């Protein structure tokens, strides 16, 4: 199969240039002078007036995650189809090593969820709920199988929380294996006390999710995780960083030359604690805020500028989504009358590029930085580069043809995520995918799925070890 994307402007993390992109057998075969005459093409895609960029890589999703007494509403099929509609062609999801169980069992369970379902390529991180001799041993097998990053939690006591000694042991082991530890850095034990106290005082509304998880809890967790990584002499990656002071801890570490990396998510750039307060005059009142319950919580608005600056200045490397959708009906409902029982998480895998493009339009980030943040940097950090994350000869032809003028209104009625609300309902965005290719196959064109096969066309990605 030979496809030519012609007359577009190619954008990578470093360059913007006019070229026609020839795709053969799923790979980028050549970048040609515009107008080069070719024969025997199976398909030509006209990209005049459009940007030709690497497909998005979402390094943080939770398809079908069991959490808070329910399960995230997107599975690998619905979630990856939605991702593709939004210009994302790779996800890295979190498998779970459950307490008392092995990583092997966790990995098998996640393969079973994804295989035969995913519509785009996918990899896995592994959540570690224990660092004991057996799980530390398991880490080597995971790395051999291409699961080269591990997530540990300072939050969620009794569920995911691990103590500093376990984190440190896992970091040392990761250092031996060339793996990367990613950290959920909020100190969960004092947070739990604040939660119990708020409930005892009769505070049950969604906004108390934020009021009981203060910024300092994340800043302190971040500082502690960075200290442990420094002691272990290993790189570390902070997931879903939400706030100014946590960012400042990362900046200090980076300024001292430490290999500290951090991601933020669209919800922390575009939503705020005000959303958690709901709509007191609307039909759902303060309950509407339940749709915005995620962890770390949404912060007051002034954090947005700090995070955008962090992205522009290379202090934050990645925007992932932490896609973890729960329907308002039946799922978020579990926490009516007790904010601590609202399942944590928001939908986002489909809307990341639309939203981030606003940063380009508003001149907060350059177009090359956009590509770096949504594709190239996650590919490099998580061992997928240069197969994924760039427009270069030999790379997988995961490509988004991006129409910078196309207007789109975000609504759960037209988005493809399997969830009954959108945190961005009614928001008008300018800039949207005109075509999305995955390994050279045109899968989405003008918001329509056009590939023959959908279910299970995605392939598992064995990722490389950390190499930056
Ligand atoms: O609210 C969130 N973030 N839900 C998913 C679990 C996590 O901590 O990433
Ligand atoms: Zn987390
Ligand atoms: Zn997450």
């Amino acid at each position: 199969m030979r496809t030519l994307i012609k007359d577009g402007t190619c954008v990578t993390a470093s360059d913007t240039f006019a070229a026609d992109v020839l795709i053969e057998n799923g790979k980028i075969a050549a970048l040609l002078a515009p107008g080069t005459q070719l024969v025997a093409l199976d398909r030509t895609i006209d990209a005049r007036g459009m940007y030709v960029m690497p497909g998005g890589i979402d390094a943080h999703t939770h398809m079908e995650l069991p959490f808070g007494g329910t399960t995230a509403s997107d599975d690998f099929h619905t979630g990856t189809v939605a991702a593709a509609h939004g210009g994302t062609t790779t996800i890295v999801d979190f498998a779970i090593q459950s307490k008392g169980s092995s990583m092997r069992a966790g990995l098998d369970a996640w393969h079973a969820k994804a295989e035969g379902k995913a519509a785009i390529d996918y990899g896995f991180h592994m959540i570690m709920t224990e660092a004991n001799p057996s799980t530390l041993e398991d880490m080597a097998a995971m790395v051999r199988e291409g699961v080269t990053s591990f997530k540990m939690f300072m939050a969620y006591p009794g569920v995911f929380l691990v103590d500093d000694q376990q984190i440190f042991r896992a970091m040392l082991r990761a250092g031996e294996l060339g793996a990367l530890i990613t950290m959920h850095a909020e100190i969960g034990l004092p947070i739990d006390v604040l939660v119990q106290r708020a409930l005892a005082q009769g505070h049950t509304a969604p906004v108390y999710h934020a009021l009981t998880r203060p910024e300092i809890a994340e800043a302190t967790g971040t500082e502690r995780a960075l200290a442990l990584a420094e002691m272990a002499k290993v790189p570390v990656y902070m997931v879903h960083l939400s706030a100014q002071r946590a960012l400042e801890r990362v900046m200090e570490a980076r300024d001292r030359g430490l290999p500290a990396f951090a991601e933020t998510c669209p919800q922390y750039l575009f939503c705020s604690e005000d959303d958690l307060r709901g709509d007191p005059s609307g039909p759902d009142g303060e309950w509407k805020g339940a749709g915005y319950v995620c962890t770390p919580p949404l912060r007051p608005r002034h954090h947005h500028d700090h995070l955008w600056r962090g992205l522009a200045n290379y202090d934050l490397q990645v925007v992932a989504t932490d896609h973890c959708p729960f329907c308002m009906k039946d799922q978020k409902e579990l926490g009516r009358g007790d904010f601590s029982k609202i399942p944590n998480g928001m939908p986002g895998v489909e809307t990341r590029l639309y939203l981030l493009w606003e940063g380009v339009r508003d001149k907060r980030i350059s177009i090359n930085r956009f590509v770096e943040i949504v594709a190239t940097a996650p590919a490099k950090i998580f061992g997928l580069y240069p197969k994924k994350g760039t427009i270069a000869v030999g790379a997988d032809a995961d490509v988004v043809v991006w129409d910078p003028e196309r207007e789109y209104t975000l609504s759960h009625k037209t988005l493809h995520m399997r969830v009954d609300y959108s945190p961005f309902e009614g928001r008008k965005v300018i800039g949207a995918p005109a075509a999305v290719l995955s390994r050279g196959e045109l899968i989405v064109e003008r918001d329509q799925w056009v590939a023959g096969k959908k279910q299970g066309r995605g392939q598992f990605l064995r990722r490389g070890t950390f190499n930056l």
Side-chain angles (χ1 to χ4, degrees), residues 29 72 87 132 158 176 185-186 194 213 231 258 304 311 334 338:
N132 56 35
E176 290 166 4
E186 285 179 299
L194 292 179
R213 305 183 87 89
M231 286 165 67
L258 296 175
H304 294 178
L311 288 169
L334 296 168
D338 178 348

Side-chain angles (χ1 to χ4, degrees), residues 60 62 65 67 151 153 156 184 240 293-296 322 324 344-346:
H60 189 152
H62 298 284
L65 174 77
F67 193 90
K151 180 176 177 186
F153 291 77
Y156 306 129
H184 181 134
H240 49 43
V293 168
C294 62
T295 303
D322 198 3
C324 191
N344 291 190
M346 286 169 63

Side-chain angles (χ1 to χ4, degrees), residues 332-396:
K332 293 283 185 182
E333 278 289 336
L334 296 168
R336 228 189 239 277
D338 178 348
F339 69 90
S340 73
K341 295 200 165 61
I342 300 170
N344 291 190
M346 286 169 63
V349 76
E350 189 173 359
T351 46
R352 181 177 63 131
L353 270 57
Y354 294 111
L355 292 164
L356 255 278
W357 189 255
E358 287 194 16
V360 178
R361 289 179 58 82
D362 294 346
K363 303 207 179 328
R364 287 181 182 269
I365 51 172
S366 71
I367 187 168
N368 307 95
R369 187 72 186 129
F370 169 88
V371 167
E372 189 164 15
I373 288 165
V374 303
T376 315
K380 287 185 174 174
I381 291 171
F382 291 110
L384 291 167
Y385 190 85
K387 179 179 166 70
K388 306 283 189 193
T390 193
I391 299 290
V393 173
D396 279 2

Side-chain angles (χ1 to χ4, degrees), residues 3 31 52 62 96 114 216 273 333 341 372 393 414-415 441:
T3 299
L31 300 174
V52 179
H62 298 284
I96 303 180
I216 184 67
E273 200 176 278
E333 278 289 336
K341 295 200 165 61
E372 189 164 15
V393 173
T414 45
L415 290 163
E441 185 179 16

Side-chain angles (χ1 to χ4, degrees), residues 118-120 438-439 441 443 449 453-459:
I120 56 170
S438 162
R439 278 179 280 102
E441 185 179 16
I443 55 173
W449 185 274
K453 187 172 177 189
K454 198 175 198 181
Q455 191 110 335
R457 68 165 297 288
Q459 295 178 355

Side-chain angles (χ1 to χ4, degrees), residues 350-351 354 408-417 422:
E350 189 173 359
T351 46
Y354 294 111
Y408 194 76
T409 301
L410 305 180
S411 166
H412 77 278
K413 298 194 185 107
T414 45
L415 290 163
H416 302 79
M417 297 175 285
S422 168

Side-chain angles (χ1 to χ4, degrees), residues 15 59 87 99 126 133-134 148 163 186 212 214 227 244 259 276 283 293 296 315 326 361 378 410 412 429 436:
D15 299 301
K99 280 208 165 82
M126 179 61 67
S134 155
T148 53
D163 62 33
E186 285 179 299
T212 55
Q244 176 188 354
L276 272 167
V293 168
D315 294 314
F326 297 101
R361 289 179 58 82
L410 305 180
H412 77 278
V429 291
V436 181

